[in-house]
């Protein structure tokens, strides 16, 4: 087994003599926020995993049923250890931190039992409601995967990673079982019926309901004797009996799930992406290349791209990509009869019309690119009949290498092509009028068109609406009502329009015009109901004999005291509203998750309204209930146990404080169970955060989140160190503000240090944090923050932990994070923000951790390698841990346990036990400053490579509808 690479350097050799402490993982929703269709309920905590195939998922706490796994995310929260006693041994019988030689041994290690027990707790199931809302699936999950699964060979092609053995995206999580519960009339759950018929050890993915709720479809794969997994088979299960069986009569038909996988056309028919029969073996790479690799720009095109990873490199890669991504579409019925439709191609999306008569087919084709990922390859969109007959071509978009890097820039031509949710088979799409370049001033900027699937000869697309900002999506209701969303990142402006799609005589009007940063003014998102066709439209509500047009707005309810979610009955024409539900704000945090009274078509009577709600508190896990009108009686339908009872009595408080320039800041302070300040005094403290950018001080100072939310603890969460008696300051606001024409990053270091000083002063003032034992940490852009704070504010922190960060901005010259200026346009900003350029200033211990296979744009593994060498070159006390097979987020149990061991060791050594070393370091920093070192300006800039933000790259169509729902 490969073990983590560990590099370690002590700045002062005397530190190694200090005694160490004994050891003690489909409608659109945009920023107003336009809603999205409901999907799978996600219970906490979830094991880290890779998002592979996502369908629309709209709601807070909901993720799509068809998704293979939830997205891997760095949990916020914190942890540390204030106890210097309580020795324990790991599974090898050795102490955790017995000597320096052991710490450099390179073997995988285990953290203390109090941390390990929380991480190894069994995960709670994911939930999914049937279309008729009468049954619930409990999708059962396993704990963290072993490293052997990540070690499986994968092909890195066109910006994606493919498991060739399974012919799907690599590193998919999976379900281990499916339980079906009947939702009884009294709101209780009936006994569980286990889906059966497949062999033990089956790995289940892409669970999907048929529209009538009578069948489930899902994929299955198995581990084979050679420790590889088989290719995916499509299975179906009868919901009434729970009996499952393979759908295809031939065992040779296997799924191709590199892009789309399968979709229900009607209640008995599916279109399935399959591996072409007789495909043969993958192409073999020539031992001797036929010539050099050549890229050319003799046409002098301006092509600026960020640092995309895993791109195609040569003709062999192109052939390999075609081999794995090419599918043969099959039309198959529930009796297993199948027929081929269309030619083999690289199909990326299959979208049936609401009436099931047509299918929208999207594919990509050559010429491919060595510069951008597959989302920008030439794209063809066709309309077929449901039985596979070609109807017409909607567009064939050229290769999009030249999309400008400015935010809100998009691809030229038709984009966001979709079916209207309120019509049987009507298409709509948007076309840019600025050539896709956000820097071009033009009005209108986007035009939305609509047209039937089969228009009459000579009929032209109809203009539905024009917007001057960037199009952000449509929420459909009927011919009398739809909401259109637009927004502009530079100004944070967002607008919502009311239109009447069926009436040309009714002028569009603005419903909301506000700043997307202003959480206090967020009116909420319209709730959606499910139609008989399986689509989701805005739910209209009938209020007695009132003839008004009412909808339900579901809001997060941000206030200076924290979020208090609400449900408003909103009259769309007059703007009047009535609050018909609001979360308890004293002890609990409650949210509206979905409508449950939408089985029938038409308006919903207010007296018959049913909603699904979630309820949690600081110490009580999230539970779900169904609330019914008119008496608003809530019936709890889940009873999940506390995932980590040992921390059930932890203390949580949202705190407010002020930066020196007057900006109001917030953070969440966690204290360990039964903490007694009189007996224990100030604790070691871990501050864990992630900077954010704002256009105004008022927006930066707003409170987000609730003091009553349950403290969810993920496998790499800093909150794990509550079990080690640390105080945790989680998510303190680190606002980087750029007002007016000022760019936020031009004063990045100044504002970063100011925010950190205010946070540290507050926890010291409260008496909960020892001033000499405060550590700083973060992941990705938070790691970038950590390194900068150790360089520019060494008086605040005793040590730092930086995971998967980028430290040299000259290596991302075409923008990063929310910076869309190039290195050559903002040279000083790039240099001054880069902790790599300030490596000589870092005098405090810093632990760097990075996945060896980081696929995130901008955070290449070499960033940590080079930063460590820079630190080492200046004698800094530093340590670099590179995790084999891991990506930007860490997934394998061995890796996660080792990360926790490294972090705990670092905190024990340099926070809990090394407080006496702080004065020396601070004095040395002051001496350096007096000599002009700390404030010296770095003049030399070295630029190489491309550029990309610490945000994953998405297809441009998807960028217009990134969900930020309050649902």
């Amino acid at each position: 087994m490969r073990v983590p690479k560990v590099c370690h350097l002590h700045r002062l050799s005397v530190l190694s003599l200090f005694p160490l402490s004994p050891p003690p993982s489909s409608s659109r929703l945009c920023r107003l926020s336009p809603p999205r269709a409901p999907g799978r309920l996600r219970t906490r905590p979830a094991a880290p995993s890779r998002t592979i195939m996502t369908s629309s998922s709209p709601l807070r706490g909901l993720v799509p049923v068809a998704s293979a796994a939830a997205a891997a995310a760095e949990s916020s929260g914190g942890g540390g250890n204030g106890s210097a006693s309580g020795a324990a041994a790991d599974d090898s019988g050795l102490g955790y931190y017995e000597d320096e030689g052991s710490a450099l041994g390179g073997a995988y290690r285990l953290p203390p039992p109090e941390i390990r027990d929380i991480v190894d707790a069994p995960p709670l199931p994911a939930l999914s409601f049937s279309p008729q809302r009468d049954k619930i699936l409990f999708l059962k999950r396993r704990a963290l995967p072993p490293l052997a699964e990540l070690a499986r060979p994968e092909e890195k092609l066109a910006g994606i990673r493919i498991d060739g053995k399974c012919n799907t995206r690599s590193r998919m999580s999976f379900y281990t079982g499916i339980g079906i519960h009947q939702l009884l009339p009294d709101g209780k759950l009936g006994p569980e019926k286990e889906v059966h018929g497949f062999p033990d050890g089956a790995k289940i993915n892409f669970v999907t309901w048929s529209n009538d709720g009578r069948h489930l479809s899902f994929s299955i794969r198995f581990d084979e004797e050679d420790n590889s997994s088989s290719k995916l088979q499509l299975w179906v299960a009868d919901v009434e009996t729970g009996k499952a069986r393979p759908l295809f009569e031939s065992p040779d038909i296997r799924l191709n799930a590199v892009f789309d996988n399968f979709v229900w056309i009607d209640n008995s028919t599916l279109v399935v992406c399959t591996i072409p029969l007789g495909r043969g073996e993958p192409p073999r790479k020539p031992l001797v290349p036929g010539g050099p690799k050549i890229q050319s720009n003799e046409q002098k095109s301006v092509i600026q791209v960020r640092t995309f990873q895993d791109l195609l490199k040569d003709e062999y890669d192109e052939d390999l990509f075609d081999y794995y991504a090419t599918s043969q579409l099959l039309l198959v019925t529930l009796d297993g009869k199948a027929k081929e439709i269309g030619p083999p191609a690289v199909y990326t999306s299959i979208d049936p019309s609401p009436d099931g008569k047509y299918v929208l087919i999207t594919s990509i084709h050559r010429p491919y690119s060595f510069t951008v990922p597959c989302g920008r390859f030439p794209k063809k969109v066709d309309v077929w009949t449901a039985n596979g007959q070609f109807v017409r071509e909607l567009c064939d978009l050229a290769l999009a290498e030249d999309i400008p890097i400015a935010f809100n820039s998009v691809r030229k031509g038709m984009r966001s092509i979709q079916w209207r949710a309120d019509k049987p088979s009507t298409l709509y799409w948007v076309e840019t009028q600025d050539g896709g370049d956000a820097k071009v001033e033009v009005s209108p900027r986007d035009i939305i068109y609509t047209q039937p699937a089969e228009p009459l000869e000579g009929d032209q697309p109809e203009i539905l609406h024009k917007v001057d900002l960037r199009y952000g999506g449509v929420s459909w209701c009927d011919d009398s009502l739809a909401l259109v969303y637009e927004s502009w990142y530079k100004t944070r402006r967002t607008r919502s329009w009311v239109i009447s799609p069926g009436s040309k005589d009714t002028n569009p009007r603005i419903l909301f015009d506000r700043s997307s940063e202003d959480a206090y003014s967020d009116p909420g998102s319209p709730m959606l109901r499910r139609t008989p066709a399986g689509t989701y439209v805005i739910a209209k509500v009938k209020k007695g004999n009132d003839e008004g047009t009412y909808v339900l707005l579901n809001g997060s309810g941000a206030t200076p005291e924290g979020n208090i979610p609400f449900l408003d009955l909103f009259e769309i024409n007059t703007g009047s509203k009535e609050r018909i539900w609001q979360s308890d704000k004293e002890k609990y945090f409650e949210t509206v998750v979905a409508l449950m009274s939408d089985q029938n078509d038409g308006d919903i009577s207010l007296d018959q309204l049913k909603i699904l709600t979630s309820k949690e508190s600081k110490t009580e896990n999230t539970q779900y209930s169904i609330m019914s009108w008119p008496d608003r009686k809530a019936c709890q339908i889940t009873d999940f146990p506390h995932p980590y009872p040992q921390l059930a009595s932890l203390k949580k408080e949202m705190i407010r404080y002020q930066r020196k320039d007057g900006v109001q800041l917030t953070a969440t302070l966690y204290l360990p169970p039964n903490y007694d300040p009189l007996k224990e005094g100030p604790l070691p403290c871990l501050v864990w955060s992630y900077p954010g950018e704002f256009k105004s001080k008022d927006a930066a100072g707003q409170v987000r989140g609730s003091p009553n939310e349950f403290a969810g603890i993920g496998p790499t969460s800093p909150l794990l160190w509550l079990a080690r008696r640390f105080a945790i300051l989680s998510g303190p606001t680190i606002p980087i503000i750029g007002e007016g024409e000022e760019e936020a990053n031009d004063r990045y270091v100044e504002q970063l240090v100011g925010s950190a000083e205010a946070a540290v002063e507050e926890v010291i003032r409260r008496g909960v944090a020892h001033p000499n034992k405060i550590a700083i940490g973060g992941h990705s852009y938070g790691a970038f923050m950590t390194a900068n704070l150790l360089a520019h504010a060494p008086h605040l922190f005793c040590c730092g932990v930086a995971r998967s960060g980028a430290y040299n901005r000259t290596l991302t010259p075409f923008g990063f994070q929310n910076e869309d200026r190039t290195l050559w346009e903002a040279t000083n900003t790039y240099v001054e923000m880069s902790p790599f350029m300030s490596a000589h200033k870092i005098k405090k211990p810093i632990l760097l951790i990075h996945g060896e296979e980081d696929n995130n744009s901008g955070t290449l593994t070499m960033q940590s390698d080079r930063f460590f060498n820079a630190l080492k070159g200046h004698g800094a006390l530093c340590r670099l841990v590179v995790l084999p097979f891991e990506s930007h987020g860490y997934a394998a149990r061995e890796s996660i346990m080792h990360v926790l061991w490294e972090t705990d060791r670092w905190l024990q050594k340099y926070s809990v036990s090394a407080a006496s070393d702080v004065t020396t370091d601070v004095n040395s920093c002051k001496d350096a400053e007096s000599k002009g070192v700390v404030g010296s300006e770095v003049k030399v800039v070295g630029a190489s490579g491309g550029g990309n933000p610490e945000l994953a790259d998405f297809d441009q169509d998807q960028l217009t509808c990134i969900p930020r729902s309050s649902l």
Side-chain angles (χ1 to χ4, degrees), residues 208 217 260-266 269-273 350-352 359:
T208 310
S217 57
D260 215 340
N261 40 72
F262 56 86
V263 62
W264 290 90
I265 298 295
D266 55 39
T269 311
L270 299 93
V271 172
V272 185
C273 294
I350 308 163
D351 185 13
V359 183

Side-chain angles (χ1 to χ4, degrees), residues 621-851:
N621 192 18
T622 304
Q623 307 293 351
Y624 295 94
S625 300
I626 294 178
M627 180 177 290
S628 303
W629 266 253
D631 57 4
R632 304 186 192 184
K633 179 182 178 182
C635 181
Q636 184 173 316
I637 61 173
T638 61
D639 188 19
F640 297 122
H642 198 294
Y644 19 87
Q646 59 270 54
L647 294 180
S649 59
L650 63 81
K651 299 179 180 179
K652 175 187 176 183
E653 180 184 0
M654 288 186 69
I655 63 174
R656 300 199 70 184
Y657 49 97
Q658 185 170 291
R659 204 164 72 179
K660 289 181 179 179
D661 60 0
V663 177
Q664 292 292 323
L665 305 177
T666 61
T668 304
L669 177 63
Y670 295 89
L671 296 173
N674 305 315
Y675 167 64
D676 187 339
L678 297 178
K679 294 181 179 179
E680 297 181 70
L683 299 172
C685 179
L686 177 58
V687 179
W688 197 272
S689 192
Y690 191 98
E693 280 124 18
F694 296 87
K695 290 297 293 182
S696 72
K697 292 181 179 179
D698 289 341
Q702 290 185 353
V703 177
R704 294 166 174 83
S706 167
N708 296 326
E709 287 183 270
F710 181 69
I713 302 179
T716 54
S717 169
L719 288 181
L720 290 164
W721 276 269
L722 289 168
R724 299 281 276 163
R725 311 298 298 171
F726 265 72
I728 309 300
L729 192 65
S730 172
T733 310
I734 308 289
I736 310 300
I737 303 167
E739 294 186 302
E741 297 300 316
E742 178 190 38
E743 294 290 343
N745 285 338
D746 289 343
R747 293 194 301 120
Y748 174 84
V749 171
E750 172 193 340
Q751 296 189 68
L752 182 71
V753 172
S755 298
E757 285 179 337
V760 168
E761 288 172 1
E762 180 64 17
V763 291
I764 293 174
R765 184 191 69 81
R766 288 172 171 263
V768 297
H770 193 295
N772 293 339
K773 298 182 180 183
I774 301 176
I776 181 69
H779 182 93
S780 194
Y781 207 51
F784 176 74
M785 169 205 74
T786 297
N788 265 308
L789 285 173
L790 292 184
H792 302 291
H795 58 291
L796 296 178
F797 303 105
C798 61
C799 64
V801 178
R803 301 175 184 167
S804 298
Y807 308 101
N808 184 354
R809 286 306 168 194
T810 70
L811 298 177
T812 56
F814 291 108
F816 58 89
Q817 198 68 9
N818 292 324
E819 178 61 69
D820 62 359
R821 295 172 295 176
T822 70
L823 168 63
W824 300 273
E825 294 171 327
T827 303
N828 289 340
T829 297
Y830 272 67
V831 173
E832 291 167 5
M833 286 183 70
S834 298
F836 180 87
M837 301 301 181
S838 301
H840 59 293
K841 302 178 186 178
I842 295 180
K843 308 300 180 184
K844 294 296 180 67
I846 182 169
L847 172 64
L848 305 174
I849 301 175
H850 217 119

Side-chain angles (χ1 to χ4, degrees), residues 284-292 314 316:
R284 299 182 64 180
K285 187 169 187 176
L287 294 177
V288 179
D314 50 33
Y316 167 73

Side-chain angles (χ1 to χ4, degrees), residues 49 74 261 272 317 352 362 399 443 552 574 692 727 736 769:
S49 50
E74 183 68 13
N261 40 72
V272 185
D317 276 0
T362 304
L399 177 65
S443 176
L552 296 169
T574 65
I736 310 300

Side-chain angles (χ1 to χ4, degrees), residues 441-739:
E441 295 295 333
V442 65
S443 176
R445 190 171 293 275
D446 278 330
I447 298 179
I448 307 159
Y449 295 92
T450 182
Q451 191 177 45
E454 287 194 82
L456 299 175
E457 185 175 353
D459 282 0
Q460 296 299 312
E462 177 185 340
I463 294 177
L464 182 70
H465 189 60
K466 300 177 181 179
V467 295
D468 287 336
L469 308 180
R470 187 61 78 200
Y471 166 79
V474 180
S475 293
W476 299 98
C477 182
D478 52 32
D479 274 339
S480 67
L481 174 63
L483 299 182
V484 178
Y485 310 100
E486 61 174 333
S487 63
W488 197 248
Y489 176 76
K490 278 292 185 183
T491 60
R492 308 302 198 270
R493 188 179 185 184
T494 179
R495 293 195 296 200
S496 306
W497 292 83
V498 177
I499 65 171
S500 298
S503 175
K504 296 181 180 180
D505 298 331
T506 304
N507 293 325
R509 61 183 177 85
I510 292 179
L511 183 64
F512 302 118
D513 188 348
R514 48 182 294 273
S515 169
S516 60
E517 288 186 337
D518 185 7
Y520 293 169
S521 71
D522 187 350
S525 304
M527 296 205 71
L528 305 179
R529 68 170 180 84
R530 191 178 190 277
T531 69
T535 61
Y536 286 85
V537 298
I538 296 173
K540 282 186 176 179
V541 176
K542 185 173 181 58
K543 182 184 178 184
N545 295 322
D546 195 322
E547 297 299 324
T549 303
Y550 290 94
V551 300
L552 296 169
L553 293 184
N554 186 4
S556 59
T559 73
E561 289 73 43
N563 287 2
I564 308 173
F566 62 82
L567 188 64
D568 281 350
L569 188 64
F570 183 78
E571 214 291 325
I572 204 77
N573 296 312
T574 65
S576 64
K577 58 185 177 181
E578 174 189 351
R579 188 141 299 177
I580 63 173
W581 176 89
Q582 188 170 23
S583 170
D584 169 41
K585 61 183 180 181
E586 300 303 325
K587 179 181 179 182
Y588 291 100
F589 177 73
E590 301 168 289
T591 65
V592 176
V593 180
L595 281 175
M596 297 295 288
S597 52
D598 60 353
Q599 300 95 329
N600 300 317
D601 204 3
D603 295 357
I604 299 172
S605 171
L606 182 59
D607 288 341
Q608 297 177 355
L609 181 65
K610 285 186 179 180
I611 58 174
L612 179 69
T613 64
S614 68
K615 184 176 182 179
E616 61 195 88
S617 73
K618 298 176 184 179
T619 58
E620 297 173 65
N621 192 18
T622 304
Q623 307 293 351
Y624 295 94
S625 300
I626 294 178
M627 180 177 290
S628 303
W629 266 253
D631 57 4
R632 304 186 192 184
K633 179 182 178 182
C635 181
Q636 184 173 316
I637 61 173
T638 61
D639 188 19
F640 297 122
H642 198 294
Y644 19 87
Q646 59 270 54
L647 294 180
S649 59
L650 63 81
K651 299 179 180 179
K652 175 187 176 183
E653 180 184 0
M654 288 186 69
I655 63 174
R656 300 199 70 184
Y657 49 97
Q658 185 170 291
R659 204 164 72 179
K660 289 181 179 179
D661 60 0
V663 177
Q664 292 292 323
L665 305 177
T666 61
T668 304
L669 177 63
Y670 295 89
L671 296 173
N674 305 315
Y675 167 64
D676 187 339
L678 297 178
K679 294 181 179 179
E680 297 181 70
L683 299 172
C685 179
L686 177 58
V687 179
W688 197 272
S689 192
Y690 191 98
E693 280 124 18
F694 296 87
K695 290 297 293 182
S696 72
K697 292 181 179 179
D698 289 341
Q702 290 185 353
V703 177
R704 294 166 174 83
S706 167
N708 296 326
E709 287 183 270
F710 181 69
I713 302 179
T716 54
S717 169
L719 288 181
L720 290 164
W721 276 269
L722 289 168
R724 299 281 276 163
R725 311 298 298 171
F726 265 72
I728 309 300
L729 192 65
S730 172
T733 310
I734 308 289
I736 310 300
I737 303 167
E739 294 186 302

Side-chain angles (χ1 to χ4, degrees), residues 248-536:
F248 291 107
E249 296 174 351
S250 171
D252 296 328
I253 299 177
R254 300 299 177 98
L255 288 180
N256 186 339
V258 170
F259 290 106
D260 215 340
N261 40 72
F262 56 86
V263 62
W264 290 90
I265 298 295
D266 55 39
N267 293 326
S268 61
T269 311
L270 299 93
V271 172
V272 185
C273 294
T274 66
I275 298 171
L277 295 174
R279 179 178 67 173
E281 295 297 316
R284 299 182 64 180
K285 187 169 187 176
L287 294 177
V288 179
K293 300 176 182 178
I294 298 173
Q295 298 187 56
S296 175
N297 191 34
E298 297 182 40
Q299 298 81 16
K300 297 183 179 180
S301 302
V302 177
I303 298 177
Q304 299 180 348
V305 295
R306 302 203 176 196
T307 47
F308 298 120
Q309 305 229 43
D310 302 334
L311 300 177
L312 299 177
K313 299 179 289 298
D314 50 33
E315 292 181 2
Y316 167 73
D317 276 0
E318 291 182 309
D319 292 342
L320 200 60
F321 176 74
D322 275 339
Y323 175 84
Y324 286 116
T326 297
S327 294
Q328 173 62 62
L329 299 184
L330 295 184
L331 191 67
V332 59
T333 53
L334 287 178
D335 59 6
K337 295 179 180 179
K339 73 169 185 175
E340 293 183 355
I341 57 173
V346 182
Y347 297 108
T348 59
S349 175
I350 308 163
D351 185 13
S353 61
D355 62 4
K357 294 182 179 180
Y358 300 93
V359 183
L360 195 62
I361 301 290
T362 304
S363 61
I364 56 178
H365 59 81
R366 298 192 185 216
Y368 297 150
S369 171
F370 301 154
T371 305
V372 294
C374 57
R376 298 190 181 186
F377 286 179
K379 181 167 71 171
K380 188 170 180 285
V381 184
D382 296 330
V383 177
W384 295 3
T385 64
N387 62 4
Q389 298 300 310
F390 176 82
V391 175
R392 65 178 175 130
E393 178 185 295
L394 291 177
C395 64
D396 192 349
L397 304 179
L399 177 65
E401 289 184 327
D402 59 348
I403 298 175
I405 61 174
F407 286 104
N408 288 123
S409 294
V410 295
R411 191 173 193 158
K412 300 174 186 176
M414 297 172 67
R415 70 182 197 275
S416 300
I417 306 171
Q418 299 177 64
W419 299 106
R420 276 185 58 169
D422 63 328
K423 291 291 185 180
S425 53
T426 299
L427 293 161
Y428 72 101
W429 65 88
V430 63
E431 294 185 27
T432 179
Q433 306 301 299
D434 57 13
D437 189 349
K439 292 184 177 180
V440 174
E441 295 295 333
V442 65
S443 176
R445 190 171 293 275
D446 278 330
I447 298 179
I448 307 159
Y449 295 92
T450 182
Q451 191 177 45
E454 287 194 82
L456 299 175
E457 185 175 353
D459 282 0
Q460 296 299 312
E462 177 185 340
I463 294 177
L464 182 70
H465 189 60
K466 300 177 181 179
V467 295
D468 287 336
L469 308 180
R470 187 61 78 200
Y471 166 79
V474 180
S475 293
W476 299 98
C477 182
D478 52 32
D479 274 339
S480 67
L481 174 63
L483 299 182
V484 178
Y485 310 100
E486 61 174 333
S487 63
W488 197 248
Y489 176 76
K490 278 292 185 183
T491 60
R492 308 302 198 270
R493 188 179 185 184
T494 179
R495 293 195 296 200
S496 306
W497 292 83
V498 177
I499 65 171
S500 298
S503 175
K504 296 181 180 180
D505 298 331
T506 304
N507 293 325
R509 61 183 177 85
I510 292 179
L511 183 64
F512 302 118
D513 188 348
R514 48 182 294 273
S515 169
S516 60
E517 288 186 337
D518 185 7
Y520 293 169
S521 71
D522 187 350
S525 304
M527 296 205 71
L528 305 179
R529 68 170 180 84
R530 191 178 190 277
T531 69
T535 61
Y536 286 85

